[in-house]
Amino acid sequence: MTRAAIRAQGRRAGLMALAGPILAGAVVVLAGWFAADAWPPSQAITLVNWLAQVFVIATGVCAAVALTGDPLIELHESTPTGFRRVQFLRAALVALSGLSGATLMFFPLHALRVWPRDEGWTSVASPAGAVVIMIVVALVAAAFAGTASTTTIAVVAAWMFLAMLWDPYVLPLPQQRGIPLLVSAGLLVAVWQRLANAERNIAKVVAA
């Protein structure tokens, strides 16, 4: 991948899709900072806990936007790059933004002692891992369904599973993030194989 290709896909993905996670992380930091200054620690931690979930879903939606609705699949498939690499490149760009946003969000709130279930600097793996999981879900849904609506629904469903059914009950961080990330790695292999089928990629757009 050349720098020109990275810049081109960054433009195609859209500024908001790429900058959204960083902006969301900055908003959470500001809100947590004000809460830490004005509220008791327990209330500030509760607010940060919910706002961190908003950051995660925002990153997932940005990934869904970046990975769907591309009318240039036939053009991509006619080049040596191919649509598969284009999709993975866009996912990587959103992941970079999401991981930057997670880092920006975590460390100031960790320093303010308002990060929920803080176990030290390793707790950054919680938002960072969630970012990766959301982007993988978006990549899978975009590869197999292709539509923005279906991909967004899949992202929201995965977010609800993590926020409501997984994270509150699987507390040890290695298991909390390690197990979903292992599943995500397997899904990435399936997506890589699925997107290798150029005819199916183009047929999906024609059918839509």
Side-chain angles (χ1 to χ4, degrees):
M1 285 291 182
T2 65
R3 293 183 180 180
I6 294 173
R7 288 196 297 269
Q9 294 311 314
R11 288 193 299 269
R12 293 289 305 164
L15 178 61
M16 286 309 300
L18 297 182
I22 295 176
L23 293 175
V27 169
V28 175
V29 168
L30 290 174
W33 179 32
F34 286 124
D37 186 57
W39 293 354
S42 59
Q43 294 181 359
I45 290 173
T46 300
L47 176 67
V48 169
N49 186 44
W50 284 105
L51 290 179
Q53 296 301 330
V54 173
F55 162 78
V56 172
I57 187 61
T59 302
V61 170
C62 287
V65 170
L67 294 170
T68 56
D70 191 343
L72 301 178
I73 290 180
E74 291 185 71
L75 177 60
H76 294 316
E77 292 292 11
S78 67
T79 67
T81 301
F83 183 64
R84 176 172 64 179
R85 291 191 179 184
V86 165
Q87 288 293 81
F88 272 80
L89 176 56
R90 292 185 184 185
L93 290 173
V94 179
L96 179 61
S97 176
L99 293 173
S100 299
T103 303
L104 172 66
M105 176 180 66
F106 170 76
F107 283 104
L109 297 175
H110 166 68
L112 291 169
R113 300 179 183 275
V114 293
W115 185 259
R117 296 192 293 272
D118 198 342
E119 300 177 9
W121 63 269
T122 56
S123 292
V124 72
S126 179
V131 162
V132 174
I133 294 164
M134 289 296 100
I135 292 172
V136 170
V137 169
L139 191 57
V140 171
F144 287 94
T147 63
S149 59
T150 302
T151 303
T152 302
I153 291 171
V155 166
V156 172
W159 170 74
M160 291 177 66
F161 172 77
L162 283 181
M164 299 179 183
L165 300 177
W166 186 261
D167 289 356
Y169 301 105
V170 182
L171 297 181
L173 191 58
Q175 289 86 350
Q176 185 187 84
R177 285 295 172 261
I179 294 173
L181 287 174
L182 284 175
V183 175
S184 298
L187 291 174
L188 281 178
V189 175
V191 171
W192 183 262
Q193 294 174 347
R194 158 63 190 85
L195 292 177
N197 190 332
E199 292 184 2
R200 186 175 175 185
N201 292 338
I202 296 173
K204 183 175 62 175
V205 177
V206 174

